[in-house]
Amino acid sequence: MNRFRAFVKKEFYHIFRDKRTMLILFGMPIMQILLFGFVITTEIKNIKIAIWDKSKDEVTQRITNKILGSSFFKLVKTIENEAEIEQAFKKGEIKEVLIFESNFSKKFNSNKSADIQIITDASDPNVANLIVNYTTAILYSFTAFENANIKMPMQIITESTMLYNAELKSVFMFVPGTMAMILMLVSAMITSIAITREKELGTMEILLVSPLKVSQIIIGKVAPYVLLSLINVLTIIFLAVTVFEMPIVGSFMLLFAVSTLFIFMALSLGILISTVTSDQQTAMMISLIALMLPTILLSGFIFPIENMPEILQWITKIIPPKYFISAIKDIMLKGSDFQHIWKDVTVLAGMTVFLLLVSIKKFKIRLE
Amino acid sequence: MVKIENLSKSYENGQIHALKNINLNIERGELFGLIGPDGAGKTSLFRILTSLLIPDSGNALILNYNTIKDYKEIRKITGYMPGRFSLYQDLSVEENLEFFASVFGTTIKENYYLIEDIYKQIEPFKKRLAGKLSGGMKQKLALSCALIHKPEILILDEPTTGVDAVSRKEFWEMLLKLKKQNITILVSTPYMDEAILCDRIALIKNGEILTVETPQNIINQFDKKIYNVKSQSMYKLMKDLRGFEHTHSTFLFGQFVHFIPNKIDFNTEYLEKYLLDNNHSDIFIKEIMPSIEDCFMELDQAKSD
Amino acid sequence: MLNNRDIVINVKNLTKKFGDFIANDNLNFEVYKGEIFGFLGANGAGKTTAMKIICGLSLPTSGELTVAGYNIYKQQDKIKANIGYMSQKFSLYEDLTVFENIRFYAGIYGLSLKIILRRADDLIKKLGMENMRNTLVRSLPLGWRQKLAFSIAIIHKPQIVFLDEPTGGVDPITRRQFWDLIYDAANEGITVFVTTHYMDEAEYCDRVSIMVEGRIEALGSPQELKSQFDVQDMNSVFIKLARG
């Protein structure tokens, strides 16, 4: 126990005395969550749109009001012909054009369908995707509301709340994603670097020659990062709730438990990386390429998995952050309890056990 | 204390032979030197002894503990100082020592008497980060850390490499004191002049041991005559000596050239005449005792011939 | 041995400070053309700092310095073109062959391909490395590498070559072969500025300076220093000086 305490103490000295580590550990999470948060919420709060209303009737007016009333959209232009559309996009004045077909109200009321065409500037596909989701969400809620006036109001109101939730989901999607990224960074990358640093400096040689067991070295090395990662989880949630007013619908304890599981998974990955590399630079490269890139690109954090080619969709199945993001998204936004997320959690737990076993097995008690 | 039998080690799928069939016995309480240049296999041998590497074949035993099977026991009884400075540069002197003490399940207080002499010299700087120490002080700290758990055997891999002559001298003075505490010390060095301070030495090159003996016996076994030679131009002297018909070998040696004739009944007048004929002045020739370095070079040459 | 008294390195009142710490305290010395100048000192005495300044890698806090006739403040580029440098740590690219290393370094100094090819042949022949021409440097023994590195450091025929502990860890025979190369270079008029921890090597130098705590405490031929301190060898001179 005394050995363990000395080891952890030493590890904290390393962390607190290295400005770069400190910055990555504490500066990065705060910076990233703020950056993502502000970029995404401001994009969404001030989407500039144009409307080409071919009918100019009462229904189109109501829809327009509903959309503009949402505070996400801002009307900057009304359009009267096709040529203007392209011009407005090219000038970069707008991100979206809504086109109501002619005789809209008549078609709508006669209970057939009425068409609204949505054209977006897809030069940034993610933003475009988000805008379309928003617009359709509002349109759905409008039709739901209209129907409600006719039939059973109670039922439909619930449905519209659900839709409202669905909308929020995409706004706050960045929180689970950022969390996955930061935990990967802190737990996997920093751990692998911290271990390979000892190899590089030659201190690992002395540790190996000492009576310490492999498990003692690993746990001593990793324990401080578990603690720091948990602090990061709390920081991110705190910022999301206070700065971005994100509601956490589900159980906080469940959220924390799933995060802890993910931290252990990431730490095992970090240890695994450190067993196959002997210098910090390689460890960092592997962490960045093998961990960070998939976390950003293939976990559903930025690009929706449904839209990926089938092969990539298969690959995402072995990406741990995918399950983490999916689980905590459900807890935070849908309020899901364990029964709903047990599949994700089981996969994650399985991966953790597997990686931990492999990395302990591979961690050498000698130099080769 | 240490028994090494038919030990071989190679790297890169047998491409590089670091150790070739090494046999060695080291007695308890001995100060044993492993003397040889870089790449001779010193570090490989020490890493096998400290259980960090597994040999391809052969056995190494410390106090009858096998370095492969009984690595846990081996790791308790050895103190190891690797070739590079291997302490935490971002921890202070005191923090390093405390850390290594607790890793070995002991405290500074418990074995302070053992390191007192050495540690006293760096104690005034105990709050300083290890990375900010001078070369000599780093060495003293590393030695303190290797000693703090009171090992039965101390294995020091090139502790004096890259260290200035004064620090080297001090370091050897410390080792001689430790020897009196009955700690077996196994030390490697590329500096031949340090060999004379050991009880016994093994001269090693290219993974092979050239000889194992007391320094004095190695010198006694040198079967050729050797002369210090000097003249006004050392550069020309070297060139001319190489062209001399009775030269076995000739090497620069500090302010002299060491000249080894190819026959034992060599007459120096013959050399003097040759040098005079080649326009040398201030000629100085004197027979001397060989140094360990002379012996090493002689053995090395004999091996490669 | 020195019939030429041309000064190639002229150091006047050179001082280098890092904050409050004085690494080099008012150094004054001259190095002559074709001389082997040993630059000795204990670890941390300020050797490396001074050597970096003289090579044009860093600037002094104050003082005057000319190297190969060029001013350190205004003509660092000219200095770099006229010196060669080799250290124990940095020398050659391990994943290039002997010839590729020669070609690369010679190319850096702007030699024409014709000259490079000729000098590469000469160099390889002189070192007796004909059969290693296309060997990766990685698989050469340390001694060969050091000899090769030195030869490459002077391939552009610099006025001065700086050697930072060139023979550390090298076996005794190779070490002496290395010094043969140094003597040859000096004989061709290249000034050799060398640091070493081997005190017997200090004896091979024409003149030696010994630094203690940032100052040059002794300067002269090995013979002069030994009689000045009334001892038998350079090792004793060094220990007497450094121990105060």
Side-chain angles (χ1 to χ4, degrees):
Chain A
M1 204 55 217
N2 204 4
R3 278 179 196 172
F4 178 71
R5 236 195 4 246
F7 211 118
V8 172
K9 196 165 105 189
K10 177 214 80 152
E11 209 54 39
F12 273 115
Y13 284 141
H14 291 321
I15 295 167
F16 291 135
R17 283 177 193 174
D18 185 25
K19 288 195 187 89
R20 278 180 308 172
T21 309
M22 284 295 278
L23 201 68
I24 294 179
L25 279 178
F26 297 108
M28 244 357 205
I30 295 172
M31 205 186 71
Q32 277 189 346
I33 201 89
L34 292 180
L35 216 66
F36 273 105
F38 281 123
V39 167
I40 289 174
T41 48
T42 46
E43 290 268 16
I44 282 158
K45 273 182 183 141
N46 292 303
I47 303 164
K48 291 173 181 162
I49 60 164
I51 291 178
W52 181 8
D53 193 341
K54 292 180 184 170
S55 338
K56 292 202 174 101
D57 56 34
E58 179 245 355
V59 179
T60 63
Q61 194 53 54
R62 273 190 6 239
I63 294 177
T64 307
N65 287 343
K66 174 107 188 166
I67 285 174
L68 296 180
S70 73
S71 89
F72 295 124
F73 299 96
K74 192 172 147 199
L75 184 68
V76 293
K77 205 175 172 70
T78 47
I79 282 173
E80 296 299 335
N81 60 54
E82 206 128 333
E84 277 180 88
I85 298 177
E86 209 177 323
Q87 220 179 8
F89 274 125
K90 274 194 178 155
K91 280 191 190 156
E93 292 176 332
I94 52 162
K95 290 276 183 203
E96 184 186 50
V97 175
L98 288 178
I99 307 170
F100 295 97
E101 64 173 333
S102 36
N103 297 323
F104 192 92
S105 140
K106 200 172 139 198
K107 286 179 186 168
F108 187 76
N109 287 329
S110 65
N111 221 358
K112 281 190 272 171
S113 67
D115 282 349
I116 302 177
Q117 194 185 354
I118 303 169
I119 305 173
T120 49
D121 174 1
S123 51
D124 183 343
N126 299 310
V127 175
N129 206 6
L130 220 55
I131 294 172
V132 174
N133 285 344
Y134 270 73
T135 318
T136 41
I138 295 172
L139 291 175
Y140 274 133
S141 95
F142 175 80
T143 43
F145 188 73
E146 288 296 306
N147 291 341
N149 283 343
I150 309 162
K151 284 178 199 168
M152 309 153 73
M154 291 305 283
Q155 214 176 4
I156 288 166
I157 286 168
T158 5
E159 198 167 336
S160 84
T161 347
M162 279 249 324
L163 286 170
Y164 183 58
N165 237 342
E167 181 187 317
L168 256 188
K169 186 167 79 181
S170 24
V171 181
F172 290 112
M173 206 28 224
F174 76 94
V175 175
T178 315
M179 214 142 110
M181 213 166 89
I182 286 166
L183 293 181
M184 272 292 193
L185 194 78
V186 172
S187 309
M189 189 161 109
I190 304 279
T191 311
S192 67
I193 290 175
I195 297 177
T196 44
R197 186 171 66 170
E198 299 232 14
K199 289 195 193 176
E200 219 173 287
L201 291 176
T203 42
M204 189 55 89
E205 236 173 290
I206 302 206
L207 295 184
L208 288 177
V209 167
S210 78
L212 287 174
K213 294 192 189 80
V214 168
S215 55
Q216 284 174 317
I217 297 179
I218 292 183
I219 295 172
K221 218 45 218 170
V222 149
Y225 294 98
V226 175
L227 194 69
L228 295 172
S229 299
L230 287 174
I231 293 176
N232 270 320
V233 169
L234 293 176
T235 316
I236 295 171
I237 296 175
F238 176 77
L239 285 175
V241 171
T242 53
V243 181
F244 301 107
E245 293 165 4
M246 174 191 182
I248 293 178
V249 185
S251 149
F252 180 77
M253 282 321 289
L254 187 59
L255 179 64
F256 204 67
V258 175
S259 303
T260 311
L261 177 62
F262 185 69
I263 289 169
F264 279 106
M265 196 289 310
L267 289 172
S268 336
L269 265 177
I271 300 166
L272 190 61
I273 290 174
S274 72
T275 61
V276 294
T277 50
S278 52
D279 59 286
Q280 296 181 65
Q281 211 184 347
T282 324
M284 185 143 133
M285 288 294 285
I286 295 183
S287 303
L288 280 175
I289 291 167
L291 302 184
M292 293 310 285
L293 283 183
T295 306
I296 296 169
L297 301 176
L298 296 175
S299 66
F301 167 27
I302 290 184
F303 304 111
I305 293 174
E306 315 78 86
N307 299 352
M308 290 177 190
E310 202 169 338
I311 302 176
L312 283 187
Q313 290 201 24
W314 278 101
I315 295 177
T316 61
K317 289 197 196 307
I318 56 160
I319 310 272
K322 172 195 139 113
Y323 299 96
F324 173 66
I325 290 178
S326 150
I328 62 167
K329 195 174 73 183
D330 287 352
I331 301 171
M332 284 179 170
L333 304 168
K334 285 190 193 157
S336 310
D337 50 27
F338 186 72
Q339 285 166 345
H340 295 99
I341 57 162
W342 71 270
K343 271 190 196 155
D344 288 330
V345 172
T346 313
V347 175
L348 214 49
M351 284 175 163
T352 309
V353 172
F354 174 74
L355 289 170
L356 207 56
L357 287 179
V358 173
S359 51
I360 289 180
K361 183 111 184 113
K362 286 204 72 149
F363 200 95
K364 295 162 196 122
I365 51 161
R366 298 172 206 275
L367 283 177
E368 54 173 7
Chain B
M1 181 81 196
V2 179
K3 200 175 167 74
I4 297 169
E5 287 168 334
N6 306 322
L7 202 66
S8 291
K9 175 76 192 169
S10 60
Y11 297 110
E12 297 185 10
N13 299 321
Q15 300 258 325
I16 298 167
H17 294 279
L19 296 172
K20 300 168 194 163
N21 202 28
I22 300 281
N23 287 285
L24 208 56
N25 284 308
I26 296 163
E27 305 298 322
R28 180 182 280 278
E30 235 183 341
L31 173 53
F32 191 92
L34 197 59
I35 320 281
D38 283 7
K42 302 189 299 288
T43 301
S44 296
L45 182 58
F46 280 2
R47 284 184 169 165
I48 289 172
L49 282 178
T50 50
S51 82
L52 284 170
L53 286 181
I54 296 177
D56 298 344
S57 60
N59 277 317
L61 305 172
I62 300 181
L63 279 179
N64 285 326
Y65 290 122
N66 186 299
T67 55
I68 306 169
K69 270 203 334 273
D70 311 317
Y71 71 91
K72 284 184 181 149
E73 276 71 23
I74 295 278
R75 290 174 184 195
K76 277 179 204 150
I77 56 169
T78 48
Y80 174 49
M81 192 171 146
R84 300 175 290 165
F85 177 69
S86 302
L87 299 176
Y88 296 101
Q89 316 249 4
D90 55 347
L91 299 193
S92 70
V93 169
E94 201 178 21
E95 285 160 358
N96 264 298
L97 195 59
E98 262 171 16
F99 174 70
F100 285 106
S102 45
V103 157
F104 283 93
T106 177
T107 58
I108 299 181
K109 226 166 139 191
E110 204 174 316
N111 294 319
Y112 188 75
Y113 70 96
L114 204 56
I115 59 162
E116 192 175 359
D117 273 349
I118 307 159
Y119 190 61
K120 253 192 337 218
Q121 303 173 44
I122 49 173
E123 216 164 6
F125 312 100
K126 66 182 181 186
K127 297 286 176 208
R128 192 179 289 185
L129 295 188
K132 298 237 178 347
L133 295 176
S134 73
M137 290 207 283
K138 277 183 182 167
Q139 237 186 356
K140 284 169 195 158
L141 176 59
L143 184 60
S144 303
C145 288
L147 270 174
I148 192 66
H149 61 290
K150 203 182 176 204
E152 306 255 348
I153 179 167
L154 199 55
I155 297 179
L156 312 171
D157 193 5
E158 299 206 10
T160 52
T161 294
V163 173
D164 64 71
V166 175
S167 301
R168 274 169 55 196
K169 189 163 184 281
E170 286 177 356
F171 195 80
W172 277 92
E173 285 163 4
M174 290 187 288
L175 291 191
L176 293 172
K177 271 190 192 165
L178 281 175
K179 196 181 101 95
K180 291 199 186 115
Q181 309 254 20
N182 205 26
I183 294 176
T184 310
I185 303 173
L186 190 48
V187 57
S188 71
T189 176
Y191 295 99
M192 303 286 156
D193 54 345
E194 293 176 349
I196 206 84
L197 301 164
C198 301
D199 295 332
R200 281 196 310 147
I201 54 176
L203 300 182
I204 179 170
K205 202 195 168 195
N206 292 336
E208 289 172 273
I209 289 184
L210 304 173
T211 184
V212 185
E213 263 301 349
T214 63
Q216 199 49 53
N217 277 346
I218 288 182
I219 290 169
N220 293 344
Q221 283 162 8
F222 192 82
D223 60 355
K224 295 190 173 62
K225 284 195 170 185
I226 186 160
Y227 297 91
N228 263 346
V229 184
K230 204 171 157 182
S231 81
Q232 94 289 355
S233 165
M234 299 297 273
Y235 181 64
K236 189 169 182 312
L237 181 64
M238 274 303 293
K239 297 251 151 167
D240 290 340
L241 279 177
R242 278 187 198 141
F244 184 46
E245 59 177 315
H246 296 295
T247 300
H248 166 73
S249 64
T250 176
F251 293 110
L252 276 169
F253 240 97
Q255 52 187 318
F256 299 102
V257 169
H258 281 191
F259 167 75
I260 301 172
N262 55 9
K263 51 181 185 183
I264 199 76
D265 55 346
F266 178 74
N267 191 336
T268 53
E269 283 167 25
Y270 205 72
L271 174 64
E272 198 170 345
K273 182 176 180 305
Y274 171 78
L275 292 178
L276 282 171
D277 288 349
N278 281 284
N279 303 318
H280 284 273
S281 59
D282 304 330
I283 297 167
F284 172 95
I285 301 171
K286 190 184 173 213
E287 188 177 352
I288 50 159
M289 288 297 289
S291 68
I292 293 290
E293 193 156 356
D294 290 306
C295 302
F296 184 94
M297 288 194 282
E298 184 58 30
L299 288 164
D300 186 8
Q301 273 188 326
K303 192 101 195 172
S304 37
D305 284 347
Chain C
M1 194 167 167
L2 294 170
N3 18 29
N4 204 327
R5 292 263 121 179
D6 291 347
I7 294 170
V8 290
I9 300 176
N10 194 350
V11 181
K12 278 209 178 99
N13 308 323
L14 183 136
T15 295
K16 176 81 180 181
K17 294 180 185 166
F18 297 104
D20 289 340
F21 177 68
I22 302 172
N24 296 147
D25 188 0
N26 199 26
L27 306 185
N28 284 287
F29 62 93
E30 291 158 351
V31 179
Y32 305 112
K33 183 174 165 56
E35 135 175 272
I36 301 174
F37 188 84
F39 199 57
L40 312 183
N43 299 109
K47 271 180 311 176
T48 312
T49 311
M51 192 142 155
K52 274 187 183 158
I53 294 172
I54 299 168
C55 292
L57 294 175
S58 75
L59 283 174
T61 312
S62 64
E64 287 304 313
L65 171 61
T66 54
V67 177
Y70 298 106
N71 184 293
I72 191 77
Y73 295 103
K74 296 172 201 145
Q75 296 166 302
Q76 279 200 351
D77 291 344
K78 286 260 169 57
I79 291 178
K80 284 179 189 167
N82 282 285
I83 61 171
Y85 177 80
M86 177 212 158
S87 83
Q88 185 192 353
K89 286 148 221 142
F90 160 78
S91 41
L92 303 167
Y93 290 98
E94 297 200 343
D95 52 351
L96 297 186
T97 65
V98 169
F99 177 72
E100 284 161 352
N101 266 293
I102 298 173
R103 194 177 157 173
F104 171 74
Y105 281 107
I108 285 182
Y109 288 99
L111 301 185
S112 73
L113 187 61
K114 214 174 103 191
I115 294 181
I116 292 177
L117 290 177
R118 200 180 62 226
R119 290 198 189 160
D121 283 343
D122 291 350
L123 188 160
I124 288 170
K125 204 170 137 205
K126 183 173 181 193
L127 294 180
M129 296 179 86
E130 286 94 341
N131 55 348
M132 297 178 226
R133 186 187 174 98
N134 295 317
T135 310
L136 288 185
V137 165
R138 182 187 297 141
S139 44
L140 292 181
L142 178 77
W144 283 106
R145 274 191 234 183
Q146 298 300 82
K147 284 191 273 183
L148 179 63
F150 174 74
S151 305
I152 288 178
I154 56 168
I155 196 160
H156 57 298
K157 304 211 186 298
Q159 293 192 41
I160 310 157
V161 63
F162 292 89
L163 308 174
D164 193 4
E165 289 180 36
T167 55
V170 174
D171 72 83
I173 294 181
T174 316
R175 208 148 64 81
R176 285 171 175 81
Q177 291 169 345
F178 194 92
W179 272 91
D180 284 349
L181 292 176
I182 294 181
Y183 273 118
D184 285 344
N187 217 40
E188 286 168 27
I190 296 178
T191 306
V192 180
F193 189 98
V194 59
T195 71
T196 179
H197 283 312
Y198 291 97
M199 285 305 135
D200 59 331
E201 292 187 347
E203 309 265 7
Y204 308 156
C205 300
D206 295 314
R207 285 192 308 143
V208 167
S209 79
I210 301 178
M211 274 186 89
V212 180
E213 289 171 6
R215 287 181 304 277
I216 291 183
E217 291 287 345
L219 178 64
S221 71
Q223 201 50 54
E224 285 163 8
L225 293 183
K226 278 179 282 186
S227 49
Q228 183 188 336
F229 289 90
D230 194 23
V231 288
Q232 286 304 307
D233 53 28
M234 282 306 291
N235 198 38
S236 313
V237 172
F238 189 84
I239 286 170
K240 246 187 167 170
L241 261 177
R243 273 200 170 163

